[in-house]
């Protein structure tokens, strides 16, 4: 399944959700997909979505975030509510730092590497900032939840439970970035 973006700007943050977003988003115009490649900008998706909505209030602006990035900049929901920036945030929530989970589990052979996060109820956080918040039971509920978010008349966050799924680019790290690096398993007490 590919998502076709019609005059919308979906800024994903970076990391795992960004990799999957870039795999399935097919914008009509490259300028309709805001994305900063590389590393080191965890959580910039929501501030960028707010800026896109400020510049283009007539467009539907969608931010696709993971729970780690959402935890970094969730306060930007307050900014969106205060300025009437009716962005829609889709938060893929697996309670992990998904970008680092493969390192802990596969490279360091350590399931306690520190990638597990608290199960934050981001829909409730959104409501606390004056936004609409909705937690889904499954991904199949997303189309109807998205329609409700579009009709909300205020910023909206849809908290979607997701399972960790390795991305084909994960092998890039092992084969290119970490090629020749000697890494030994480590124990954490």
């Amino acid at each position: 399944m590919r998502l076709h973006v019609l005059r919308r700007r979906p800024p994903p943050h970076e990391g795992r959700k960004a990799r999957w977003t870039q795999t399935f988003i097919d914008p009509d115009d490259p300028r309709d997909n805001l994305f900063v490649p590389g590393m080191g900008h965890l959580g910039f998706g929501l501030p960028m979505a707010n800026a896109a909505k400020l510049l283009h209030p007539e467009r539907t602006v969608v931010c696709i975030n993971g729970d780690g990035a959402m935890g970094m900049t969730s306060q930007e929901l307050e900014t969106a509510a205060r300025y009437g920036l009716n962005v829609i945030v889709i938060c893929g929530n697996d309670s992990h730092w998904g970008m680092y989970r493969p390192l802990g589990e596969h490279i360091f052979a350590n399931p306690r590497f520190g990638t597990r996060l608290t199960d934050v109820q981001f829909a409730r956080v959104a409501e606390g900032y004056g936004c609409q918040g909705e937690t889904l039971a499954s991904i199949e509920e997303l189309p109807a939840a998205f329609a409700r978010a579009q009709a909300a008349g205020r910023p909206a966050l849809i908290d979607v439970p997701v399972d960790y799924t390795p991305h084909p680019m994960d092998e890039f790290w092992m084969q290119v970035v970490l090629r020749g690096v000697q890494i030994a398993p480590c124990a954490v007490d």
Side-chain angles (χ1 to χ4, degrees), residues 139-148:
I139 191 71
E140 289 75 25
E141 298 174 356
L142 184 57
F146 190 84
R148 287 188 293 276

Side-chain angles (χ1 to χ4, degrees), residues 11-71:
H13 66 98
E14 80 304 326
R16 175 115 352 240
K17 303 307 178 289
R19 283 185 184 172
W20 282 111
T21 300
Q22 295 304 319
T23 300
F24 291 101
I25 291 289
D26 187 17
D28 291 339
D29 183 318
R31 294 170 295 181
D32 287 345
N33 184 16
L34 302 179
F35 172 68
V36 178
M39 300 289 287
H41 12 342
L42 184 66
F44 84 94
L46 183 52
M48 187 184 285
N50 285 345
K53 188 65 173 178
L54 187 64
L55 289 171
H56 300 283
E58 75 286 358
R59 292 186 180 187
T60 299
V61 177
V62 180
C63 174
I64 302 171
N65 251 352
D67 51 342
M70 199 67 231

Side-chain angles (χ1 to χ4, degrees), residues 9-13 17 43-50 60-67 69-71 73-78 80-81 85-93 122-123 126 131-136 142 145-146 149-150 154-160:
R9 296 184 177 270
H13 66 98
K17 303 307 178 289
F44 84 94
L46 183 52
M48 187 184 285
N50 285 345
T60 299
V61 177
V62 180
C63 174
I64 302 171
N65 251 352
D67 51 342
M70 199 67 231
T73 56
S74 64
Q75 70 277 9
E76 291 299 323
L77 291 168
E78 188 278 333
L85 304 172
N86 297 340
V87 297
I88 299 172
V89 179
I90 299 173
C91 179
N93 194 337
F122 285 107
C131 303
Q132 174 173 305
E134 183 173 352
T135 301
L136 306 186
L142 184 57
F146 190 84
Q150 284 184 299
R154 58 185 171 148
L157 181 137
I158 304 168
D159 197 353
V160 183

Side-chain angles (χ1 to χ4, degrees), residues 73-111:
T73 56
S74 64
Q75 70 277 9
E76 291 299 323
L77 291 168
E78 188 278 333
T79 302
R82 183 167 16 110
Y83 289 106
L85 304 172
N86 297 340
V87 297
I88 299 172
V89 179
I90 299 173
C91 179
N93 194 337
D94 64 358
S95 299
H96 274 89
W97 291 108
M99 194 68 183
Y100 301 106
R101 190 170 174 183
L103 294 173
E105 294 179 6
H106 304 294
I107 304 253
F108 296 112
N110 185 343

